[in-house]
C-alpha cells in the first residue's frame, strides 16, 4: 500500500507544481501560499528538488542454511554408476543396488532423491541405496539433488534396468471335477 501511495505522488507531482508566493500578514507573520490574497505577495523561485538515484539492483538471492549462513548456488552433476543402463537383472537377484557419482560433493542441507519410474524411493544424503524386492519389468531410475526448500540442484540422466522374475504357475493343484 505504501508503495502505491509513493507511486501515485510521483505520478501526480508534475501536474501539481504551482507558483509559490510569500506574504507578510498584519501581525508580521510570513505566509507561503500558492494563492496570494494581496498584490504585495512576492513570487518565490524555488530551487530544484533534490533527487537521489535508485540503488543498484540486488544480486539474486542466495540460499541461507538453518544456521543463517549464506550458501552459494550449486549445480550438481550426478551420474548413476550402478546399475549400468540397459542392464538385465537376473532371476536370482531380488534386490537392486543404486550407486551414484556426484560433483561437487553434496553440501550440508542438501538431499539426494532417488526415483524409480517417477515414484520416490528414498531421500538421503547417501551416494547409494538398496531397493528390496524389485518387481519384474523395465524400470527407469533417476536421482536428483535438492536444497532444503525442495529446489532442484541437478538431475542424473535416466538409467533403464530390466528385471527378470519367474512366472510361477502352480500345476500342483488338482483340477476341479465337473458335477
Amino acid at each position: 500500500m505504501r508503495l502505491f501511495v509513493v507511486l501515485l505522488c510521483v505520478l501526480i507531482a508534475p501536474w501539481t507544481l504551482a507558483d509559490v508566493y510569500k506574504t507578510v500578514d498584519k501581525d508580521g507573520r510570513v505566509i507561503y501560499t500558492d494563492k496570494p490574497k494581496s498584490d504585495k505577495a512576492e513570487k518565490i523561485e524555488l530551487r530544484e528538488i533534490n533527487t537521489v538515484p535508485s540503488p543498484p539492483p540486488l544480486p539474486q538471492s542466495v540460499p541461507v542454511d538453518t544456521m543463517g549462513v549464506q550458501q552459494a548456488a550449486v549445480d550438481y552433476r550426478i551420474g548413476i554408476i550402478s546399475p549400468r543402463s540397459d542392464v538385465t537383472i537376473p532371476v536370482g537377484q531380488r534386490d537392486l543396488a543404486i550407486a551414484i557419482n556426484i560433483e561437487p560433493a553434496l553440501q550440508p542441507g542438501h538431499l539426494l532423491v532417488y526415483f524409480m519410474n517417477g515414484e520416490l524411493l528414498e531421500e538421503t544424503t547417501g551416494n547409494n541405496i538398496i531397493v528390496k524386492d524389485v518387481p519384474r519389468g523395465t524400470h527407469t531410475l533417476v536421482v536428483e539433488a535438492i536444497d532444503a526448500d525442495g529446489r532442484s540442484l541437478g538431475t542424473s540422466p535416466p538409467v533403464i534396468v530390466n528385471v527378470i522374475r519367474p512366472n510361477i504357475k502352480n500345476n500342483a493343484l488338482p483340477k476341479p471335477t465337473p458335477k
Side-chain angles (χ1 to χ4, degrees):
M1 181 66 179
R2 186 180 297 176
L3 179 62
F4 175 74
V5 172
V6 170
L7 287 175
L8 185 63
C9 290
V10 168
L11 292 174
I12 294 176
W15 291 283
T16 60
L17 291 178
D19 292 331
V20 177
Y21 298 90
K22 175 183 172 184
T23 57
V24 179
D25 70 3
K26 61 182 179 179
D27 297 324
R29 289 183 293 197
V30 177
I31 300 171
Y32 295 95
T33 182
D34 62 343
K35 296 176 183 156
K37 297 184 180 174
S38 73
D39 294 337
K40 294 181 182 179
E42 173 188 348
K43 185 176 178 182
I44 304 292
E45 293 295 323
L46 298 176
R47 291 180 281 187
E48 188 175 324
I49 297 173
N50 291 337
T51 58
V52 176
S54 63
L58 296 174
Q60 287 186 330
S61 65
V62 176
V64 175
D65 67 13
T66 55
M67 301 297 286
V69 177
Q70 289 188 342
Q71 297 177 346
V74 177
D75 186 23
Y76 292 110
R77 290 171 306 286
I78 305 168
I80 298 175
I81 54 178
S82 178
R84 297 182 327 271
S85 196
D86 296 320
V87 72
T88 299
I89 307 299
V91 174
Q93 185 177 335
R94 301 294 305 161
D95 301 336
L96 176 65
I98 303 172
I100 66 148
N101 184 27
I102 183 168
E103 290 182 11
L106 196 64
Q107 293 187 1
H110 295 173
L111 290 173
L112 294 169
V113 185
Y114 291 77
F115 294 96
M116 182 166 41
N117 303 327
E119 293 185 28
L120 175 66
L121 292 172
E122 189 172 334
E123 288 185 10
T124 181
T125 57
N127 287 12
N128 55 61
I129 66 168
I130 295 179
V131 184
K132 300 276 187 190
D133 296 318
V134 179
R136 77 179 188 173
T138 301
H139 304 286
T140 303
L141 305 173
V142 174
V143 180
E144 180 179 17
I146 61 171
D147 66 10
D149 295 323
R151 288 185 292 257
S152 180
L153 302 172
T155 304
S156 72
V159 167
I160 308 296
V161 295
N162 301 295
V163 178
I164 297 175
R165 296 284 180 252
N167 189 3
I168 301 173
K169 292 183 181 179
N170 195 346
N171 292 332
L173 294 176
K175 294 182 184 180
T177 56
K179 293 186 182 184

